[in-house]
Amino acid sequence: MKISELSECSGVSIASIKFYQREELLPEPERTSPNQAQYDTQHVDRLRLIRALVDVGGLSVATVRTVLAAAESDIPMDWAMGVAQRAIPGSVELPATTTRGVSEIDTITETLGWKVSPDNPGRGMAARVIDSYVQLDHEEILSVLPEYSRAAMIVAAADLASVGLQPSRMRMSETVVVGTVLGDSLFAGLRRMAQEDEARRRYAQVQS
Amino acid sequence: MKISELSECSGVSIASIKFYQREELLPEPERTSPNQAQYDTQHVDRLRLIRALVDVGGLSVATVRTVLAAAESDIPMDWAMGVAQRAIPGSVELPATTTRGVSEIDTITETLGWKVSPDNPGRGMAARVIDSYVQLDHEEILSVLPEYSRAAMIVAAADLASVGLQPSRMRMSETVVVGTVLGDSLFAGLRRMAQEDEARRRYAQVQS
DNA sequence: CCACTACCGATAGTTACACTATCGACCATG
DNA sequence: CATGGTCGATAGTGTAACTATCGGTAGTGG
C-alpha cells in the first residue's frame, strides 16, 4: 500500500500522515527504495486509533504518542493500567500540601476499603476537583462523593472485566488505553442522558 | 477594589483580566471615572469560576463564555440542565445517518426506560464513542454498556439531588454548570482509583 | 500645583499546537 | 524517457490564549 492509498482508505491527508510520522505516532513503513515505502493494515489501524484518541478522546498529539508508547511496552498486566492512566492528561500531581480535597478523597477511599497507591493520577485529579468546588463555595460536592464512588466501582469492575476478555497482552494494553480514554467520554454521554431522565422524573410538570 | 488588587487576590494577571473582559467573560466593573473602575467580590468569584472551568474542566475560553451565559439566563429549571449540557463541549450532533452507535444507545435507553430527547447531547457523544470502538474493532465495549448505564443513573440521581439542595435559581444554574463540567473530571478521577483497586483484586500476585 | 504612579482602551506581539504547502531530488511505470 | 507519485526537509498557516507596549488620563503625596 502506497501513501496515497493509505491516505485514501484512512481518510487522513498525506500531509497529516507525514506529520504523524515525524511525530513518531506511526510505525516506520517498510522501505522498498529510498523514496518508496509500503504500508499495511497495521498502519490503517494505527491511524484510526490516533484519530479516535484525538477526535473523540480529545487528547493532544503529544499525549497520543506517550499513550501509544505505553500501550506497546510489554509490562506486567497489573502495571499496564497505571502506566496508561499516568500517560493520560488530567494526570496532574497532587498539590504540594495536603489540601481539603486530598483528605476528603483519602477518607472516602479508606471507608470503601480501596487500595490505591498515593501517586494514582486519579487521586490528584479528584482532589483538585474537590478543591475547586470548595473554592467556589459549592461544598455540596461532598454529598455526592459516596454515590460517585459507588458508581466508579461499578464502572471499574466492568472495565477490568472487558480487559480480561482480551486474547493477548497487546490487545489488553490497547483495551486499557482505549477504554480509559474513550470510556471517560462514553460515561459522560450516558451521564447526560441519565440526567435528563432524572430531571424529567423530578421536575416534570407534564408527565406523559 | 482596583484591578491590581483584583489581580492580586484572584491570582490572575492584569493582562489576563483585561483579556477576559474583552472576551466578555467578566461583568462590567463599576466605572468611577473614564480610566478607573471598581471591582468587587462578584468579580473575584467569577474569575475563580473561569479558572476552574478552564483549568480543571478543560473548557476553552469561548466555551466558558457560552456556559456562563446559559447559567445566567433565567430559564425554567427542567430546561437549565439541557441548556448547560448543550453549551458544553463534546456536545456533538448525531451522525447524519443512524449508525451502530446510535442504535446501541437507543436500545439501552429503551431497555432502561429512560426518557431522553433525541437531541440530548449525551446521545451523540455516547454514540460517537461506540462508533469509534467498533471502527477500532473493540466490540467488547458493548458488554460494558449496561453497567456503565447503571452507574450513570446513580451519578445522575446524586447530581439532581445536589442541585435540589440549592436555595436559589441562580445558585441552581451555577450548580448545574459546575457540576456538569467538573463532575466529569471528578468521576474520571474516582474511576481511575477504582480501577487500580479492582486491578489489584484481580491480578495481584502479592496481596497484602 | 506638579511629579509620579496606576489605570484606561487599543493594538500588536508571542507561544504553542496541529497541521498544510512547497521544494528539489529521486524513482517507477508506461 | 517523460510523467507523475514519493521522499525528507523546511517553511508557512490558522487558531487559541494570553502578554506586552503605548499614548493618554486620573488620583495622590509633597
Side-chain angles (χ1 to χ4, degrees):
Chain A
M1 195 187 297
K2 292 190 293 183
I3 197 170
S4 52
E5 297 168 305
L6 177 62
S7 168
E8 188 89 12
C9 81
S10 66
V12 178
S13 76
I14 292 180
S16 295
I17 293 173
K18 287 186 182 182
F19 173 68
Y20 292 147
Q21 287 177 328
R22 278 200 300 285
E23 298 290 316
E24 296 176 82
L25 269 65
L26 273 179
E28 284 285 304
E30 198 187 332
R31 315 308 301 261
T32 60
S33 83
N35 67 340
Q36 302 277 270
Q38 281 294 316
Y39 299 87
D40 56 31
T41 55
Q42 168 197 174
H43 296 92
V44 181
D45 292 345
R46 176 57 69 94
L47 278 175
R48 272 208 262 271
L49 181 54
I50 293 168
R51 298 308 324 173
L53 295 177
V54 169
D55 295 339
V56 183
L59 302 195
S60 72
V61 167
T63 306
V64 171
R65 179 174 48 239
T66 317
V67 163
L68 291 177
E72 265 162 14
S73 66
D74 191 16
I75 46 179
M77 198 50 224
D78 54 340
W79 289 3
M81 183 75 67
V83 172
Q85 285 184 351
R86 261 156 263 261
I88 288 165
S91 315
V92 246
E93 284 118 67
L94 280 172
T97 60
T98 296
T99 61
R100 176 74 180 280
V102 175
S103 68
E104 292 291 345
I105 287 298
D106 288 350
T107 301
I108 205 134
T109 51
E110 200 165 327
T111 307
L112 294 168
W114 291 1
K115 286 187 107 62
V116 175
S117 74
D119 66 336
N120 180 296
R123 185 166 167 249
M125 213 186 301
R128 218 154 68 99
V129 174
I130 294 175
D131 287 333
S132 294
Y133 264 102
V134 171
Q135 270 239 320
L136 294 169
D137 197 31
H138 275 266
E139 309 230 346
E140 76 272 5
I141 182 64
L142 300 174
S143 71
V144 306
L145 273 180
E147 294 300 280
Y148 269 54
S149 304
R150 197 155 72 79
M153 289 176 74
I154 294 171
V155 167
D159 289 335
L160 271 289
S162 89
V163 171
L165 292 175
Q166 302 304 315
S168 69
R169 171 139 307 178
M170 266 210 52
R171 188 78 194 162
M172 282 174 130
S173 304
E174 195 177 300
T175 303
V176 169
V177 167
V178 175
T180 303
V181 176
L182 300 195
D184 285 345
S185 296
L186 176 59
F187 185 81
L190 291 171
R191 177 181 173 225
R192 293 194 187 1
M193 287 190 286
Q195 281 177 339
E196 181 182 330
D197 180 65
E198 181 70 21
R200 220 182 273 263
R201 287 179 206 281
R202 285 181 173 247
Y203 296 104
Q205 287 106 3
V206 186
Q207 181 89 43
S208 67
Chain B
M1 195 187 299
K2 292 190 293 181
I3 197 170
S4 55
E5 296 168 306
L6 178 61
S7 168
E8 188 89 13
C9 80
S10 67
V12 178
S13 75
I14 291 180
S16 296
I17 293 173
K18 287 186 182 183
F19 173 67
Y20 293 145
Q21 287 178 328
R22 278 199 300 285
E23 297 291 315
E24 297 178 81
L25 270 67
L26 273 179
E28 285 285 306
E30 197 187 334
R31 315 307 302 262
T32 60
S33 84
N35 68 338
Q36 303 276 274
Q38 281 293 315
Y39 299 88
D40 55 32
T41 56
Q42 169 196 175
H43 297 93
V44 180
D45 292 345
R46 176 57 69 91
L47 279 175
R48 271 208 262 271
L49 181 55
I50 293 169
R51 297 309 322 174
L53 295 177
V54 169
D55 294 339
V56 182
L59 301 195
S60 71
V61 167
T63 306
V64 171
R65 179 175 44 239
T66 316
V67 163
L68 291 177
E72 266 164 13
S73 66
D74 190 17
I75 46 181
M77 199 47 225
D78 55 339
W79 289 4
M81 182 76 65
V83 172
Q85 285 184 350
R86 261 156 260 262
I88 287 167
S91 316
V92 245
E93 283 119 68
L94 281 173
T97 62
T98 298
T99 62
R100 177 76 180 280
V102 176
S103 67
E104 293 290 345
I105 286 298
D106 288 349
T107 301
I108 203 131
T109 50
E110 199 164 329
T111 306
L112 293 169
W114 291 0
K115 285 186 109 61
V116 176
S117 74
D119 66 334
N120 180 297
R123 185 165 167 247
M125 213 186 302
R128 217 154 70 99
V129 174
I130 293 175
D131 287 333
S132 294
Y133 264 102
V134 170
Q135 271 238 320
L136 293 170
D137 196 30
H138 276 266
E139 309 229 346
E140 76 272 5
I141 182 65
L142 302 175
S143 71
V144 306
L145 274 180
E147 295 298 282
Y148 269 54
S149 305
R150 196 157 69 83
M153 288 176 74
I154 293 171
V155 166
D159 288 336
L160 271 290
S162 90
V163 171
L165 292 175
Q166 301 305 316
S168 70
R169 172 139 304 178
M170 267 210 52
R171 188 78 193 164
M172 282 175 130
S173 304
E174 194 177 301
T175 303
V176 169
V177 166
V178 175
T180 303
V181 176
L182 299 195
D184 284 346
S185 296
L186 176 60
F187 185 82
L190 291 170
R191 177 181 172 223
R192 286 176 188 26
M193 288 190 285
Q195 281 176 340
E196 181 183 330
D197 180 65
E198 182 69 22
R200 218 182 275 261
R201 287 178 205 281
R202 285 181 173 248
Y203 296 103
Q205 288 103 6
V206 186
Q207 182 85 44
S208 68

